Amino acid sequence: MCALFGLVDYGNKFSARQKNKIISVLSEECEIRGTDATGIAYNSNGRLHIFKRAVPAHKMRYRLPENADIIMGHTRMTTQGSETFNYNNHPFFGTANGVNFALAHNGVLHNDTLLRKSEKLPETHIRTDSYVAVQLIEKKKSLDFASLKNMAEKVAGSFCFTVLTDRNELYFVKGDNPLSLYKFDGFYIYASTEEILKNTLQKLNLSKYSRVNINCGDILKLDSNGAVEVGHFDFHEAFYGGYGGYFSETDEDYLEELSLLYGIKPEDILTLLDYGFGVFDIEKILCCPEIMRDYFRGIGTR
């Protein structure tokens, strides 16, 4: 469980000091979903900048410049790839046909190892599952609705992605993980949950907003002028169809991947399947050792 957050100041409503304040308060509210690392990305003077550290948000000191119109952020709860190595933290840098971009992810991807094999993606020292999304975009050699659709339909797991380009375009790729986006007069603010946003707005004394609808399977693009474009990807194929292929007794490669990722035996995963747990339940169990121990303790007494 991580958090996405950010600001799109398309109306030039805020000074650098005010932007730093907004991002500081917003990111600290996001600590409820992760404190292992914090990172932001923004454009300044025609260049994409990424600033990230293995610290909780309240220990970050932001120095956003006046001309940073779009700020994309992430707070992390580590599931794969140690946060002590900063290259494992979000946002991640990528480049596609001369366009530089930063990508952040909320969720857990299950098939990153399989995708690196099947798509013949290059070896990387980055161990975070999310980074396979960067590699899929880079393989298409473009960053647009088509390449994001391709990526979203190939990854299997829970996700919501944000992608910021050096052209000052911010994309949201909405899977089953939550995202709330509010529009104000001259700016947008977003975060992974409505609770985070409401707490932030109360502390910043901001009001008079409208909700922007973004549903599973949507790809939404905002630019520095506040213009909105919407595309789509096949949500059911990405999640249910993909999971059906991976959670299978005959898929030895995937069982081995889960075994290595979570340090448990493949037969334990099959036990959960046999007892009727769905794939989303299994994800929660594997991500939380305490829940996993309780479930297996309960199964053992039956």
Side-chain angles (χ1 to χ4, degrees), residues 52-268:
K52 55 186 178 179
R53 295 288 184 271
V55 297
H58 72 270
K59 291 187 177 181
M60 292 284 277
R61 295 295 178 265
Y62 303 108
R63 294 179 176 84
L64 292 163
E66 194 83 34
N67 59 2
D69 299 323
I70 301 178
I71 301 99
M72 182 187 87
H74 182 275
T75 62
R76 186 180 184 207
M77 184 185 77
T78 302
T79 56
Q80 183 179 339
S82 173
E83 73 279 359
T84 58
F85 300 101
N86 202 37
Y87 51 72
N88 286 325
N89 297 324
H90 306 236
F92 299 102
F93 177 82
T95 184
N97 196 29
V99 176
N100 296 325
F101 65 91
L103 178 144
H105 167 224
N106 171 26
V108 178
L109 303 182
H110 304 297
N111 65 334
D112 52 309
T113 300
L114 294 178
L115 280 173
R116 290 193 179 98
K117 294 178 182 178
S118 63
E119 297 290 325
K120 296 180 171 59
L121 301 175
E123 291 292 328
T124 175
H125 60 284
I126 298 173
R127 302 265 58 91
T128 313
D129 55 323
S130 315
Y131 188 67
V132 74
V134 174
Q135 293 183 300
L136 289 171
I137 295 169
E138 290 182 326
K139 183 179 179 181
K140 295 298 287 186
K141 298 181 179 180
S142 65
L143 204 167
D144 50 26
F145 284 105
S147 64
L148 292 173
K149 171 181 166 68
N150 173 74
M151 178 272 290
E153 291 178 350
K154 285 187 174 177
V155 297
S158 60
F159 66 79
C160 184
F161 295 101
T162 53
V163 183
L164 176 63
T165 75
D166 61 5
R167 299 175 298 200
N168 233 16
E169 300 164 329
L170 178 62
Y171 290 90
F172 300 89
V173 183
K174 177 69 171 65
D176 66 331
N177 271 31
L179 181 76
S180 292
L181 175 63
Y182 290 178
K183 182 180 181 181
F184 299 78
D185 180 21
F187 63 98
Y188 294 86
I189 296 180
Y190 71 90
S192 283
T193 69
E194 196 159 18
E195 179 186 8
I196 290 171
L197 277 185
K198 286 183 175 179
N199 289 341
T200 300
L201 300 186
Q202 185 176 17
K203 289 183 177 181
L204 295 173
N205 196 27
L206 294 172
S207 59
K208 296 183 180 178
Y209 61 85
S210 59
R211 292 179 177 86
V212 178
N213 290 326
I214 179 167
N215 302 308
C216 293
D218 286 349
I219 304 173
L220 186 148
K221 182 175 79 169
L222 291 176
D223 65 22
S224 57
N225 296 314
V228 178
E229 291 183 53
V230 180
H232 304 280
F233 64 93
D234 190 338
F235 170 77
H236 293 287
E237 179 68 22
F239 292 91
Y240 301 109
Y243 275 140
Y246 295 121
F247 281 83
S248 167
E249 293 186 20
T250 61
D251 196 337
E252 295 180 1
D253 286 342
Y254 187 62
L255 291 178
E256 181 181 357
E257 179 191 350
L258 284 179
S259 176
L260 292 172
L261 179 59
Y262 292 103
I264 62 175
K265 299 176 182 179
E267 53 264 34
D268 289 338

Side-chain angles (χ1 to χ4, degrees), residues 9-51:
D9 182 21
Y10 69 89
N12 296 316
K13 292 286 186 176
F14 303 114
S15 65
R17 182 177 180 180
Q18 289 171 319
K19 291 174 188 176
N20 282 289
K21 175 66 173 179
I22 292 170
I23 293 300
S24 178
V25 173
L26 185 54
S27 63
E28 287 182 27
E29 287 300 318
C30 287
E31 284 191 350
I32 193 172
R33 294 179 63 87
T35 57
D36 293 327
T38 310
I40 60 171
Y42 60 92
N43 289 295
S44 178
N45 299 322
R47 289 184 56 224
L48 178 66
H49 300 262
I50 295 176
F51 175 63

